Amino acid sequence: MVSGNKKTPKLILVGAGPGDIELITVKATKALQSADVVLYDALANEELLTEYAPNAQHVFVGKRKGLHHVQQYYINKMIVRYARKCGTVVRLKGGDPFVFGRGFEEMEYAVSHGLEVSYVPGISSAFAVAPLAGIPLSVRGVNAGITIVTATASDGSLTEELQWAVAGKGTVIILMGVSKLNEIAQLVSTHRGYSEVMAVISKGSQQDERKLFAPASSIYKESMVQGIETPAIIVVGKVVASALQLIKSQLAAAEIQRT
């Protein structure tokens, strides 16, 4: 909507998916095409900007652990400022903005300052990355629950939710936990045994994806040797062993075919 030459200040909160640009929704691409300004974070694939918002102004506001380019306080203010000045602001966030993405905080701030606000969900890495790497989130007869947690509390300790989840029997998907992998592996060893197979998937869904399968007793050391990088998710649960067994069977079958 335009009043004279002034566009209506608007925020569209958009999930960019786990990284592969083909894993973005049609509605999200339409939102990008409508943007006057795109504020994008470090986990959003920049190819989406050139593909769907080539004429918009692109502003990087990425935050990663230890590398906070722009603090959340200033991001909130930038959303309002750009919307009032330019019109439609698309806030492009990796995964889904409402899954540990602080998207709701940004929406609340925008609403409190009179902006029109809408939300376009994205495919969260919590649901997509493990299956794309061959690990199901659930297998009949293996697990009856899935828990998604973030690893670190505001004081730097492991979250209570993580400790409760690992103490249970279901699948646990851990986001933002690579820096705490040693502590997480020790926790898994305590509750599920040293031989419990875990997985770490780095840069899931992307061409440079890397995945590591290892017992809780050695996964931290192996991740250091292999140089596993963020962003990454950690998977705990019997489904990991099931997936590893299938991968080994596939490799064995391929070897037989070659000989």
Side-chain angles (χ1 to χ4, degrees):
M1 181 184 296
V2 179
S3 176
N5 293 323
K6 188 175 178 61
K7 296 182 178 180
T8 300
K10 182 186 302 184
L11 167 67
I12 310 176
L13 194 63
V14 174
D20 183 341
I21 65 168
E22 294 184 351
L23 293 176
I24 189 170
T25 66
V26 172
K27 190 166 187 176
T29 64
K30 290 180 178 179
L32 284 168
Q33 290 164 354
S34 74
D36 297 299
V37 180
V38 181
L39 304 183
Y40 66 101
D41 70 19
L43 298 180
N45 192 326
E46 292 188 27
E47 291 182 36
L48 293 170
L49 304 177
T50 55
E51 181 74 19
Y52 297 111
N55 299 318
Q57 183 177 350
H58 305 157
V59 182
F60 176 68
V61 291
K63 296 192 304 176
R64 281 184 179 162
K65 183 178 176 61
L67 296 171
H68 284 204
H69 184 73
V70 181
Q71 295 296 329
Q72 189 65 52
Y73 172 82
Y74 296 106
I75 293 174
N76 292 345
K77 288 188 170 295
M78 289 171 71
I79 289 170
V80 173
R81 185 173 75 248
Y82 276 111
R84 288 174 174 169
K85 179 181 178 182
C86 303
T88 299
V89 171
V90 166
R91 178 68 170 102
L92 187 65
K93 300 174 75 71
D96 182 282
F98 282 2
V99 181
F100 300 116
R102 302 189 72 171
F104 190 69
E105 296 174 43
E106 295 175 6
M107 182 176 283
E108 283 185 309
Y109 189 87
V111 168
S112 72
H113 286 75
L115 272 61
E116 289 187 9
V117 175
S118 58
Y119 162 72
V120 180
I123 298 175
S124 173
S125 61
F127 300 107
V129 166
L132 286 169
I135 305 172
L137 299 186
S138 63
V139 175
R140 183 177 175 84
V142 174
N143 68 307
I146 304 161
T147 305
I148 298 166
V149 296
T150 184
T152 310
S154 58
D155 64 0
S157 64
L158 294 181
T159 61
E160 288 186 3
E161 289 83 355
L162 170 60
Q163 297 180 56
W164 296 334
V166 170
K169 296 181 179 180
T171 300
V172 186
I173 306 296
I174 305 168
L175 306 182
M176 297 172 281
V178 172
S179 65
K180 293 286 187 179
L181 182 56
N182 190 28
E183 293 177 56
I184 293 169
Q186 291 177 19
L187 190 65
V188 172
S189 296
T190 298
H191 291 286
R192 304 196 183 201
Y194 291 100
S195 61
E196 179 84 356
V197 180
M198 301 171 57
V200 180
I201 306 162
S202 170
K203 300 182 179 179
S205 84
Q206 301 178 61
Q207 290 185 347
D208 55 348
E209 174 183 290
R210 298 179 65 187
K211 50 190 176 184
L212 168 64
F213 294 84
S217 60
S218 63
I219 193 165
Y220 174 68
K221 289 183 179 179
E222 293 192 37
S223 72
M224 297 297 289
V225 171
Q226 295 193 25
I228 296 295
E229 300 177 340
T230 57
I233 71 164
I234 301 167
V235 188
V236 177
K238 297 300 182 186
V239 293
V240 180
S242 299
L244 184 57
Q245 184 57 50
L246 179 60
I247 291 170
K248 289 179 177 178
S249 298
Q250 290 173 323
L251 291 173
E255 183 64 27
I256 292 171
Q257 289 180 348
R258 283 195 295 266
T259 57

